[in-house]
Amino acid sequence: LPAGLSQWFPALEVLDVSGTGLAELGAELLALPQLHTLLAKNNRLGGPGSLPKGLGQAPLGRSLRVLNLSGNRFAEVPPALLELHGLQSLSLGGNRLHSIPPEIQELRSLEFLYLGGNFITSIPPELANLPFLNYLVLCDNKIQSIPPQLAQLHSLRSLSLHNNLLTYLPREILNLVHLEELSLRGNPLVVRFVRDLTYNPPSLQELAGRTIKTRNVPYAPSDLPENLVRYLSLASNCPNPKCGGVYFDSCVRQIKFVDFCGKYRLPLMHYLCSPECSSPCSSASQSSTSQSESDSEDEASVAARRMQKVLLG
């Protein structure tokens, strides 16, 4: 970048240096107190010194709202970007990222996050701590599972997950009641019911906790140690409508298909309290009927219909 940029254009608000072959963004940017949009796509950024030192503490760090660094060579999210607490839109698509740092949660103002076209294999649960996130793009990566914590993204309206390695979705995703777009094409989503046959028997503590919860045994916080009171508060209701039980740590994982908008059937992961609650594995083809079809009014199906629009192709 030319020297004296801040002197020539002290009131600069938008700067586009995309496709210019830049290997670093100079310190001249730091003194632009009104710059709110910086576009630096399709360059050679990504090596040491690509971003100016002290970015988070400079005037630019306080004013910047939109940053697009897609099509560069970043192998990790630069720590300096995680100090831009006023950032509302961040694009790092088409780079060489292999992971998303948990510190992404520090970008509390973020509304748009584009990380498509990288080599990301997992999503940190901390991503769910972005209260204003509306658009999350994670397509064209190598993601194998979605953390259930993403259901906490109550502002999320669009979630792009196409062309990954997903075989199921967490049933908690049904809690994203404001979601309008969900893109899942190009994933090896399973086409029949699958049950995880591994099941660790409940501990004595869990058995006691289940008994207290299912039989509504009265207790006061003064009756039990604080850690046991906290443990009892973590009970999860078994989603099987015919069971009525609870579980804590010991459960059976099962993939169950749920109708979305009467058009699509998606495999969702849910957890049952015991093997007795799990229906037998079906070896039938995708077009055959299954137990989930007869349980059309169960909790998952009712929640699924709250989705407004689902994009699969």
Side-chain angles (χ1 to χ4, degrees):
L1 293 177
L5 182 65
S6 60
Q7 297 177 357
W8 298 339
F9 308 106
L12 194 65
E13 296 182 355
V14 178
L15 177 61
D16 188 350
V17 292
S18 301
T20 56
L22 287 176
E24 64 178 56
L25 298 175
E28 296 81 9
L29 290 174
L30 299 180
L32 293 171
Q34 299 185 46
L35 188 68
H36 58 72
T37 300
L38 175 57
L39 310 177
K41 303 179 294 181
N42 304 323
N43 283 299
R44 295 185 292 116
L45 302 170
S50 291
L51 302 180
K53 294 181 179 180
L55 180 60
Q57 292 73 40
L60 175 64
R62 294 187 290 272
S63 65
L64 202 59
R65 296 293 179 266
V66 177
L67 178 60
N68 192 325
L69 295 174
S70 292
N72 281 283
R73 303 176 181 180
F74 289 101
E76 61 179 15
V77 177
L81 298 187
L82 303 175
E83 300 177 3
L84 302 176
H85 301 302
L87 205 61
Q88 297 175 352
S89 175
L90 174 61
S91 299
L92 280 166
N95 277 274
R96 303 171 182 177
L97 305 178
H98 285 79
S99 63
I100 304 173
E103 292 78 12
I104 195 77
Q105 66 182 341
E106 300 300 326
L107 302 180
R108 300 280 294 177
S109 300
L110 211 57
E111 299 176 7
F112 178 91
L113 178 60
Y114 189 103
L115 298 174
N118 283 285
F119 303 96
I120 298 169
T121 57
S122 63
I123 303 173
E126 289 81 3
L127 190 62
N129 296 329
L130 299 176
F132 304 110
L133 195 64
N134 289 321
Y135 297 90
L136 176 58
V137 182
L138 296 168
C139 60
D140 300 292
N141 279 287
K142 299 181 181 298
I143 298 170
Q144 301 182 43
S145 63
I146 304 299
Q149 288 85 351
L150 286 196
Q152 300 170 21
L153 292 173
H154 300 301
S155 299
L156 199 63
R157 297 186 178 275
S158 178
L159 176 58
S160 295
L161 293 166
H162 52 271
N163 298 331
N164 276 285
L165 301 176
L166 297 172
T167 55
Y168 66 87
L169 299 175
R171 64 178 281 116
E172 287 83 359
I173 202 170
L174 297 175
N175 295 327
L176 296 174
V177 294
H178 296 296
L179 198 65
E180 298 174 356
E181 297 181 351
L182 175 61
S183 179
L184 292 168
R185 66 182 185 274
N187 281 281
L189 295 173
V190 294
V191 295
R192 63 184 179 87
F193 284 85
V194 179
R195 183 177 64 182
D196 190 339
L197 298 179
T198 60
Y199 175 68
N200 295 321
S203 64
L204 292 177
Q205 178 175 269
E206 173 147 355
L207 289 173
R210 291 187 181 196
T211 300
I212 290 174
K213 286 294 185 178
T214 56
R215 297 187 180 183
N216 295 318
V217 177
Y219 67 92
S222 59
D223 298 333
L224 300 171
E226 181 179 352
N227 64 315
L228 291 181
V229 174
R230 184 168 55 252
Y231 178 79
L232 289 171
S233 69
L234 299 176
S236 299
N237 292 323
C238 183
N240 183 351
K242 300 178 181 179
C243 174
V246 300
Y247 65 87
F248 293 87
D249 303 311
S250 180
C251 59
V252 174
R253 298 194 312 163
Q254 185 182 29
I255 294 175
K256 185 173 185 179
F257 283 86
V258 173
D259 288 330
F260 278 71
C261 304
K263 186 175 182 180
Y264 303 111
R265 294 177 63 75
L266 293 182
L268 301 180
M269 177 67 77
H270 68 161
Y271 301 89
L272 302 171
C273 67
S274 72
E276 287 71 25
C277 285
S278 181
S279 60
C281 291
S282 171
S283 59
S285 64
Q286 181 180 6
S287 60
S288 65
T289 59
S290 60
Q291 182 175 348
S292 71
E293 291 174 309
S294 63
D295 293 337
S296 58
E297 293 304 318
D298 67 9
E299 175 187 355
S301 296
V302 173
R305 286 196 292 271
R306 294 185 301 181
M307 288 289 193
Q308 299 178 6
K309 184 179 181 183
V310 178
L311 301 179
L312 288 178

